[in-house]
Amino acid sequence: MWRNRDVISARDFTRPELEELFETARYMEKYSKGRLDVMRGKIMAVAFFEPSTRTRLSFEVAMKRLGGDVVGFWGAEGTSVEKGETLADTIRMLDAYSDVIVIRHRYEGAAKLAAEVAESPIINGGDGAFNHPTQAMLDVYTIWREFGYVDGLNIGLLGDLRHARTVNSLLEILTNFNVKVHLISPEYLRPRTETIDYVQSKGLKLSFYTNVEEVIGELDVMYVVRIQKERFIDPLEYEKVKGSYRVTPDMLRKAKKTLIILHPLPRVDEIDPRVDATSHAKYFRQAALGVPLRMALIYLILS
Ligand code: NCD
């Protein structure tokens, strides 16, 4: 099911495939601070044209824990992209030098283009405002690890739901599960119509709010994203919505005891650091699970 697959969009994966990924990641947790030598002789190339901490490092660490090697660059400085090389040519070279390529790019569609020119599998580490499929896999994996199941949960998404690629991919992947999704944002920051139409056509139940207080008591999961300043076309629109929500200990007094808060990170000011010490805060665990989840992905695609 996974062998040699490109991972471009969350839409491409079925529930049995996700379950296989999660079971494999669960197994990989035993080795995520150790070593499982199953990728010896394999090379992963990382081509990150946009900033990243967790996605890049967890992919690199995952490959190293599996006994493989990593080459690549982050930022185009020092590469021939500075001389005007096209993305397609850069990818062709990485394809010749490695067994799998992880790419992050500010333009939507970059990963798909890479997959068209490369023979090796391409993994999308985030392109533009639209796709971040491996983050969405990690998000659902974290929920599954926390609760032991996903079906039946009430999942709130809070923040910049329009420009956050993690939100778009998460909505798409949640169509595989029987969950209720509560979208909480200023009206201007609701997900794109195209995404809403797609996930509703797949049967995902959505409801919309502008105020967290209206729904917080019902939620099992609250997934928070930062306002994606760099993706706003109009700076005035950014000024209008910045700082429009913030998760505080006070707000959480109305929440279920078992509510978990997730965030793909980096956070700016949308979660008060005082929340970190509460039993709700699971975003650091979520980031840590990125290693076993990505070990599982690499293993399933390359072995
Ligand atoms: C996110 C991204 O790059 O889309 N970070 C991540 O990969 N964990 C989220 C963000 O930048 O807000």
Side-chain angles (χ1 to χ4, degrees):
M1 290 197 287
W2 282 93
R3 208 179 139 71
N4 264 319
R5 287 275 292 273
D6 296 312
V7 180
I8 305 301
S9 160
R11 294 187 190 191
D12 301 337
F13 297 89
T14 62
R15 180 154 178 160
E17 288 165 347
L18 295 169
E19 284 169 354
E20 185 185 13
L21 176 70
F22 295 168
E23 296 294 348
T24 310
R26 181 79 185 84
Y27 175 80
M28 291 298 176
E29 282 185 35
K30 289 202 283 282
Y31 301 97
S32 62
K33 280 287 185 82
R35 197 162 165 109
L36 181 68
D37 244 355
V38 289
M39 285 293 122
R40 190 143 16 136
K42 300 275 192 207
I43 294 181
M44 182 174 83
V46 293
F48 272 47
F49 297 89
E50 250 198 348
S52 171
T53 304
R54 279 149 289 268
T55 303
R56 179 172 67 78
L57 288 176
S58 62
F59 263 114
E60 292 193 9
V61 168
M63 188 54 160
K64 289 175 192 228
R65 297 281 188 206
L66 292 171
D69 281 311
V70 182
V71 296
F73 57 85
W74 34 99
E77 300 99 61
T79 71
S80 288
V81 173
E82 286 205 316
K83 302 180 191 165
E85 184 165 65
T86 62
L87 177 65
D89 282 358
T90 304
I91 294 297
R92 280 188 186 98
M93 293 304 101
L94 296 176
D95 189 29
Y97 302 153
S98 67
D99 302 290
V100 58
I101 302 167
V102 187
I103 177 174
R104 167 170 287 196
H105 204 284
R106 63 189 284 238
Y107 292 124
E108 216 166 291
K112 188 157 184 288
L113 175 85
E116 278 161 20
V117 299
E119 298 213 337
S120 311
I122 296 286
I123 301 179
N124 186 356
D127 64 338
F130 208 37
N131 287 304
H132 196 345
T134 71
Q135 179 68 45
M137 291 167 187
L138 170 58
D139 300 336
V140 181
Y141 180 62
T142 308
I143 295 171
W144 182 70
R145 288 291 281 117
E146 282 291 329
F147 290 91
Y149 54 90
V150 179
D151 291 325
L153 294 175
N154 277 282
I155 302 180
L157 308 189
L158 171 66
D160 184 351
L161 311 182
R162 168 170 293 271
H163 304 99
R165 54 195 174 196
T166 65
V167 166
N168 182 70
S169 286
L170 181 55
L171 283 169
E172 291 177 351
I173 219 159
L174 286 175
T175 61
N176 291 289
F177 300 90
N178 187 10
V179 292
K180 281 199 197 130
V181 177
H182 306 272
L183 300 167
I184 313 154
S185 73
E187 218 161 300
Y188 175 71
L189 296 182
R190 285 183 182 168
R192 304 184 200 191
T193 314
E194 186 202 337
T195 301
I196 291 174
D197 291 349
Y198 172 78
V199 300
Q200 286 184 327
S201 78
K202 294 278 168 186
L204 192 66
K205 294 181 217 75
L206 300 180
S207 39
F208 296 85
Y209 309 82
T210 49
N211 189 342
V212 193
E213 316 278 321
E214 287 174 70
V215 67
I216 189 153
E218 284 175 49
L219 302 180
D220 301 299
V221 178
M222 181 156 68
Y223 186 89
V224 188
V225 287
R226 72 182 168 91
I227 306 249
Q228 311 273 308
K229 184 178 181 187
E230 71 278 27
R231 304 203 199 283
F232 276 68
I233 296 164
D234 182 349
L236 285 179
E237 292 292 350
Y238 171 72
E239 289 302 322
K240 275 192 228 158
V241 295
K242 79 172 181 200
S244 53
Y245 56 90
R246 182 172 166 85
V247 180
T248 60
D250 194 42
M251 177 195 285
L252 292 170
R253 278 192 285 130
K254 293 204 194 109
K256 289 187 189 173
K257 283 244 170 332
T258 50
L259 169 78
I260 66 165
I261 302 175
L262 302 180
H263 191 307
L265 303 177
R267 77 172 142 183
V268 184
D269 57 4
E270 58 283 355
I271 300 180
D272 187 319
R274 285 175 300 161
V275 173
D276 299 0
T278 69
S279 59
H280 302 296
K282 296 295 176 190
Y283 26 91
F284 296 121
R285 179 174 194 218
Q286 176 189 8
L289 289 174
V291 172
L293 189 278
R294 290 182 169 111
M295 288 171 79
L297 257 181
I298 296 167
Y299 174 77
L300 289 173
I301 291 170
L302 283 189
S303 65

